């Protein structure tokens, strides 16, 4: 049966989004003969408007290696808590009725929501309200449950690893401590895996509140053993034991989304206070999300896009595509959202890092 499929990309952008869009469009058009409508700017495009455009084969030509998303995205557009000005003040209100109305107006049968925890939570609620949804898990943070890995993560780890390789030579030449702050929100995956791949000396992650005295001791011991430089990788959500996360915005500016950042400078100034070494900070920031996806992410994203079309063909709504082992399968969106996939402080990856002599802040 012919279908009209809408697709949106929500939350922060991520390498591989365009590859998913291309996978959906190519398989839906070539295999099924369906129409695809691309919603602009995430759920924002369903609140005001609707704003969308037809996606045909020509419109996805050449986008496989392109970073970002041709549809645009927003990580402010939660229809259940949408910022609206009321009596001259900003407030968060439920506009899900408008979303349902606008979606019907588009004439679409089903929505593919490509996003992380926030986007998929919204998608699930809309599905419960009668808007059929299929989810595709995205995030460089790799913090979603229900899938072994999200697309975008492999690319981010590659970017950070390359940065660590480059920082090694300059840190060694100047006998400096380089503190490298990386993304990941409340999960330490990017810091941990890129730190292992990039031969970091210290890795600080949110799952293990760190002891700065032990960090300083580890760097001092490296100096005494003849290695007069150190590379410290700090996840943006890491925090000292007994302390709190470092954020960039005041609480009233957050509008539901906390902006992490600044822990790298805190760690550097603490190291500078306990050791007579020049300590510098590198904040990799959005470089980790930009640019072309790795071959792994291009393949995973393409598989996810094709699988999403297959789920729609079988009318398996409320489900999300996921990687389990070597297979792409369907899981309930509910099993993926609600709690995060965090690093196990006693898990195999942590043990590997510590066995290699990497100081994990404890
Ligand atoms: O979730 C992806 C991510 O890049 C996080 O690692 C980071 O904390 C956040 O998004 C940054 O979002 P924004 O670009 O909106 O500041």
């Amino acid at each position: 049966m012919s279908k009209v499929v809408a697709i949106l990309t929500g939350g922060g952008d991520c390498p591989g989004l365009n590859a998913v869009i291309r996978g959906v469009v190519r398989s839906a058009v070539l295999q099924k003969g369906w129409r695809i409508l691309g919603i602009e700017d995430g759920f924002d495009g369903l609140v005001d408007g609707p704003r969308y455009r037809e996606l045909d084969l020509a419109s996805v030509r050449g986008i496989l290696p392109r970073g970002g998303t041709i549809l645009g995205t927003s990580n402010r557009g939660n229809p259940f808590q949408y910022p609206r000005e009321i009596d001259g003040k900003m407030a968060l209100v439920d506009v899900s009725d408008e979303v349902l109305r606008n979606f019907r107006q588009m004439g679409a049968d089903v929505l593919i929501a490509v996003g992380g925890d926030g986007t998929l939570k919204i998608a699930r609620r809309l599905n419960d309200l009668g808007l059929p949804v299929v989810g595709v898990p995205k995030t460089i943070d790799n913090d979603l449950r229900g899938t072994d890995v999200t697309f975008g993560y492999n690319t981010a780890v590659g970017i950070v690893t390359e940065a660590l390789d480059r920082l090694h030579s300059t840190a060694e030449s100047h006998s400096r401590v380089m503190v490298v702050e990386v993304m990941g929100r409340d999960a330490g995956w990017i810091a941990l895996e890129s730190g292992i791949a990039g031969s970091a000396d210290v890795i600080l992650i949110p799952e293990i509140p760190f002891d700065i005295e032990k960090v300083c001791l580890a760097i001092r011991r490296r100096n005494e053993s003849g290695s007069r430089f150190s590379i410290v990788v700090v996840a943006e959500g890491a925090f000292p034991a007994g302390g709190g996360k470092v954020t960039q915005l005041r609480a009233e500016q957050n509008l539901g989304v906390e902006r992490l950042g600044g822990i790298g400078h805190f760690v550097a100034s603490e190291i500078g206070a306990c050791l007579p070494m020049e300590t510098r900070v590198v904040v990799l920031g959005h470089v980790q999300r930009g640019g072309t996806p790795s071959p792994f992410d291009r393949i995973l994203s393409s598989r996810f896009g094709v699988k999403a079309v297959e789920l729609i063909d079988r009318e398996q709504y409320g489900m999300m595509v996921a990687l389990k082992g070597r297979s792409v399968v369907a899981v309930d969106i509910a099993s993926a959202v609600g709690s995060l996939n965090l690093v196990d402080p006693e898990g195999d990856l942590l043990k590997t890092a510590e066995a290699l002599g990497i100081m994990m802040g404890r």
Side-chain angles (χ1 to χ4, degrees):
M1 210 177 74
S2 184
K3 289 195 192 293
V4 180
V5 177
I7 180 169
L8 64 75
T9 52
D13 75 329
C14 169
L17 285 167
N18 285 327
V20 173
I21 297 168
R22 174 181 176 271
V24 167
V25 171
R26 286 186 69 84
S27 66
V29 172
L30 295 173
Q31 306 294 319
K32 313 283 179 199
W34 297 346
R35 282 179 64 212
I36 306 292
L37 307 177
I39 296 167
E40 292 168 2
D41 303 331
F43 287 106
D44 278 355
L46 274 178
V47 175
D48 49 71
R51 290 185 284 115
Y52 64 97
R53 60 184 189 266
E54 185 103 19
L55 296 177
D56 57 11
L57 291 178
S59 53
V60 296
R61 195 169 292 144
I63 67 171
L64 178 62
R66 271 173 58 190
T69 160
I70 58 165
L71 293 176
T73 186
S74 161
N75 55 7
R76 300 283 175 272
N78 178 352
F80 296 96
Q81 287 186 304
Y82 202 77
R84 280 266 160 88
E85 199 177 315
I86 298 173
D87 299 333
K89 276 195 187 150
M90 292 308 285
L92 298 173
V93 294
D94 184 346
V95 296
S96 54
D97 278 358
E98 291 173 43
V99 166
L100 297 179
R101 203 168 44 244
N102 285 334
F103 188 76
R104 277 194 292 271
Q105 192 189 316
M106 286 170 62
D109 300 304
V110 52
L111 173 68
I112 298 180
V114 189
D117 186 61
T119 301
L120 293 173
K121 267 186 200 150
I122 297 165
R124 185 183 166 220
R125 287 182 73 179
L126 291 174
N127 190 76
D128 290 347
L129 291 175
L131 190 162
V133 171
V134 165
V136 178
K138 162 242 71 158
T139 167
I140 64 163
D141 303 339
N142 198 36
D143 60 357
L144 260 178
R145 290 199 177 280
T147 182
D148 289 356
V149 72
T150 51
F151 75 85
Y153 172 66
N154 178 271
T155 304
V157 169
I159 292 167
V160 178
T161 302
E162 191 195 333
L164 296 180
D165 288 348
R166 290 179 184 279
L167 290 168
H168 261 91
S169 59
T170 171
E172 185 166 16
S173 304
H174 288 267
S175 302
R176 285 173 173 161
V177 178
M178 299 300 270
V179 177
V180 187
E181 182 181 305
V182 303
M183 284 185 166
R185 295 210 67 84
D186 297 319
W189 292 111
I190 296 177
L192 180 56
E193 290 214 326
S194 62
I196 293 172
S199 184
D201 305 298
V202 178
I203 303 174
L204 305 177
I205 61 174
E207 293 85 346
I208 303 176
F210 60 85
D211 180 335
I212 197 69
E213 284 179 15
K214 289 186 180 165
V215 171
C216 290
L217 186 63
I219 297 173
R220 184 175 294 122
R221 288 211 176 116
R222 263 179 65 77
N223 286 346
E224 288 163 4
S225 73
S227 297
R228 296 183 305 125
F229 72 97
S230 285
I231 303 286
V232 180
V233 177
V234 189
E236 61 183 358
F239 56 95
K245 295 191 177 167
V246 181
T247 57
Q248 292 179 37
L249 297 180
R250 293 198 304 273
E252 68 272 19
Q253 293 174 304
N254 278 325
L255 276 180
V257 189
E258 196 180 45
R259 191 180 300 169
L260 295 169
I263 186 66
H265 285 92
F266 171 80
V267 168
S269 92
E270 292 290 299
I271 294 172
C274 68
L275 291 172
M277 290 180 77
E278 193 176 349
T279 305
R280 296 295 185 91
V281 184
V282 177
V283 181
L284 289 178
H286 294 84
V287 168
Q288 294 160 93
R289 296 204 319 226
T292 191
S294 64
F296 177 90
D297 278 332
R298 292 182 198 193
I299 295 165
L300 184 62
S301 302
S302 300
R303 292 176 78 189
F304 279 177
V306 169
K307 185 72 178 185
V309 169
E310 191 188 307
L311 296 193
I312 292 169
D313 198 28
R314 293 191 192 146
E315 307 207 333
Q316 285 185 274
Y317 302 137
M319 303 297 277
M320 178 186 94
V321 303
L323 184 71
K324 294 276 187 185
R326 297 179 74 85
S327 304
V328 174
V329 298
V331 298
D332 199 318
I333 295 180
S335 70
V337 299
S339 68
L340 295 175
N341 169 32
L342 300 176
V343 173
D344 176 0
E346 307 309 326
D348 155 68
L349 207 51
L350 239 298
K351 285 188 183 144
T352 302
E354 288 181 329
L356 289 168
I358 299 172
M359 204 277 164
M360 293 297 311
R362 60 183 172 185

